[in-house]
Amino acid sequence: MAQAPERVVPPVGGLPVTDSGPAVGRPVDRVDGAVKTSGRARYTADVSCPDLAHAALVHATIPRGRITGVDAAAALSVEGVLAVITHENAPPMPAPPRENLANPSTTAGGARVAYVTTDQVHWNGQPVAVVVAETPEAAAGAARLVCVEYEALPAATDFLDAVPGATPVKAGLLEVGEERTGDAPAALAAAPVSVDHRYTTPAQNHNAIEPHATTAAWDGDRLTVHDTTQNIDWARRYLAACFGIPVGNVRMIAQYVGGGFGGKSSVWAGTVLAALAARVTGRPVRMALSRESVFRTVGGRTPTRQRVALGVERDGRLTALVHTGVSAVGRVGGRSEQVAAQSRFLYAAPNLLIRHDTTEMDVLPSTFMRAPGEAVGMFALESAVDELAVELGMDPVELRMRNQPERSPVGGKRYSRQNVREVLTRGAERFGWADRDPEPRSMRDGRWLVGWGVAGAFQVPAQLFADVAVQLNADATVVVRTSLHEIGVGAATATSQIAADELGVPVEAVTVEHGDSEQPAAPGAIGSSQTASVAAAVLLACEQLRREALDLARRAPESPLHGRRPAELRPAHGGLYAGNVGESWTAILTRAGRSRLEARTGSDSPPRQTLRTVRAMAGLVLEQRRWVKAATGAHFCEVRVDPDTGEVRVTRWVAVFDVGRVINAKLATSQLRGGIVMGIGAALEEETLVDPRTGRSMNAGLAGYHVPVHADVPTLDVSYLGEPDPRTPLGLLGVGEVGITGAPAAVANAVHHATGVRVRDLPITLDRLL
Ligand code: MOS
């Protein structure tokens, strides 16, 4: 329910008014809750404009080759069809930029393809034509009538057959290649007890509730794009490069986005082609992708093959940890899955080897998907730890307890917090782990086999550069402007809470304007970083505002703040106070004849502020590299398995997290639960099935690609330690990704405990259990 709005009566000197205490830490309702639940929130595909035309894609049906002919006559004869754009008639476009990490305009490309301006086909499903029509129905219907002929070439489409490249990659964003400490193979060979196993995880597709959509309109060489992006800044720069126009000519708007999970971090065909179609037809064009088109044009998680080998002394102390993985990328782009990245930090193994290899295939380029690397890498690692516990005859919680590192085994970095023992202990208590009989198949409920599993969660949230403007008005209202992405996580709400405390006003007095490239540039909603990154900037801007307000007040002899120093004062009661002496913003600004004060953190700030804030933000980003600042957790899961059919039901879940300070438990719990749900999906359901003969996805839709529904998910008991991180602004870590990490392993470990069957290949389907 809504918090009762608190009125702050602007005081002039003396102690004022009600004060509800800090907003940070309170589970206030979402600021966007009412517009969303009432249907008033406008998402990209809701945006309309006069003369709007609609576009649909035609997808290639071969994995590799060349288009030899297009027959668009039937499509063009459909009533309302305006154009069929193919490589035969498309205007020339600059070549799509290759990724160059120093240049953000290149980072956002999902695939390096000159969509529909080339006759080359690089994956089965690549868009080969765009149909534009007066209605979405005409466009979709006509798209089915476009006949394309091909000259097919041999293609590599079967991941399990593919041969990895000879050298580990260390080229792209998030990639760590290979790292070693000591001699892991020798330590493994010498270990009295060891496990050494292979694990696989399948390709997965993004299925945010809102399919990708774009509405694009040109005005001369200026482009306005409403888009389902979770990275306005990247998308804008990338589109500018694609169309050869200045970045400032592209306006990106994404006020609300219905889930991203990484699938909306990069720019995919629909966005580029909506803009191209608008240019060709001279009309504003909306491209609302069908679910099938999302499957065929938006990358997902690449499949992986992994090896985890652990060597241990009889007392359970690890001596060797080997974690290697192969993942696939497309020939025209893609992200390798950094499955072993977290294995540098989790356990105190003195001899450690991690390595990532990739293999190039003729497939849709893969991309970020919630906890890229950890989500499936920890399935293998945390399964292997469980296997080792069985081998040793030791409780898997105890085994983890014994191997907590003081410093990171690779690189010797310090940890900003080391609460893994604490989350394990609390989780075990809440779950009742002590009652577990370690023997597989020992626990039953009627005919169901019951199993209990545990796994750790671990993810390092990023700290990125954010530009925000904060405006403090004379009526003690506050406006925060930043192009953050409200992809369903509650970032605008959390930001309102932070700004409210920093300026001593109620949450209701703060408005966060977001989702538009006209605003100062926030980082993408990526890497569990958005809220903490924006928070760091909001803290800096609000500090600047307090300093400026105090400068105004100190000059006035009649002000109670006359002669006060900044360190004595705190924001409270709608103004600045030292104990019960102080003055409201209204009084300060009114006396000074100012209607508002404004502060900004980014490179476009007033010069006086720039150096200070840019330095502070850069310092944070650099400090991030010297410490391991990880969100951690422990999952405890109960499954029931039908011994005759192999049906697996997740029936109980307890997760305890250490995510630093929790701004708003209502939002954070929702994020963490969402991560666990996605982890249950990865464990039991999600799998993109590809026909190895054609490279075509055979289940390109939610009828064939299963994600958990309510009936698949029990009540998820989520709790936190809640103490602030000592080394981050406001003590925040991110909550977006840590929830999924470890969750698939908790399920797999519970399934093993229930059945005695160890499934090392996801998803755990009936056939793998019987
Ligand atoms: Mo995330 S996979 O950085 O949306």
Side-chain angles (χ1 to χ4, degrees), residues 174 206 230 260-263 265 368-372 487 525-528 737:
L174 304 176
H206 275 290
Q230 62 188 95
F261 311 106
S265 290
F368 315 105
M369 190 161 171
R370 204 175 203 165
I487 63 173
I526 56 172
S528 299
E737 295 172 290

Side-chain angles (χ1 to χ4, degrees), residues 67-71 85-90 116-117:
I67 302 169
T68 53
V70 181
D71 181 355
I85 308 167
T86 70
H87 77 280
E88 293 173 352
N89 61 15
V116 311
T117 68

Side-chain angles (χ1 to χ4, degrees), residues 81-287:
V81 168
L82 300 165
V84 177
I85 308 167
T86 70
H87 77 280
E88 293 173 352
N89 61 15
M93 302 241 301
R98 256 187 182 272
E99 181 166 40
N100 164 5
L101 291 179
N103 178 358
S105 68
T106 66
T107 321
R112 276 190 320 275
V113 177
Y115 296 114
V116 311
T117 68
T118 170
D119 64 352
Q120 299 295 306
V121 175
H122 306 283
W123 76 85
N124 193 323
Q126 178 186 319
V128 290
V130 185
V131 179
V132 191
E134 297 290 350
T135 65
E137 293 79 7
R144 292 172 185 276
L145 302 176
V146 177
C147 293
V148 183
E149 286 178 8
Y150 306 92
E151 182 184 287
L153 291 171
T157 58
D158 190 351
F159 176 63
L160 293 178
D161 273 358
V163 180
T167 51
V169 276
K170 192 168 185 175
L173 206 60
L174 304 176
E175 296 191 329
V176 293
E178 177 181 297
E179 296 200 53
R180 326 168 159 253
T181 300
D183 185 345
L188 186 66
V193 183
S194 62
V195 292
D196 189 348
H197 294 296
R198 305 294 186 278
Y199 303 83
T200 67
T201 65
Q204 297 172 339
N205 267 91
H206 275 290
N207 278 290
I209 195 164
E210 178 201 33
H212 291 55
T214 306
T215 302
W218 289 89
D219 177 7
D221 67 348
R222 306 188 75 86
L223 174 63
T224 301
V225 185
H226 293 262
D227 191 72
T228 53
T229 181
Q230 62 188 95
N231 201 327
I232 287 172
D233 193 48
W234 275 7
R236 169 192 209 216
R237 290 169 189 276
Y238 190 77
L239 283 180
C242 284
F243 289 94
I245 55 176
V247 176
N249 283 19
V250 181
R251 181 173 177 192
M252 294 289 302
I253 303 167
Q255 187 165 22
Y256 299 116
V257 177
F261 311 106
K264 294 168 180 170
S265 290
S266 300
V267 180
W268 300 94
T271 302
V272 177
L273 291 174
L276 180 72
R279 186 137 101 168
V280 168
T281 59
R283 300 265 299 263
V285 169
R286 178 195 297 162
M287 175 97 70

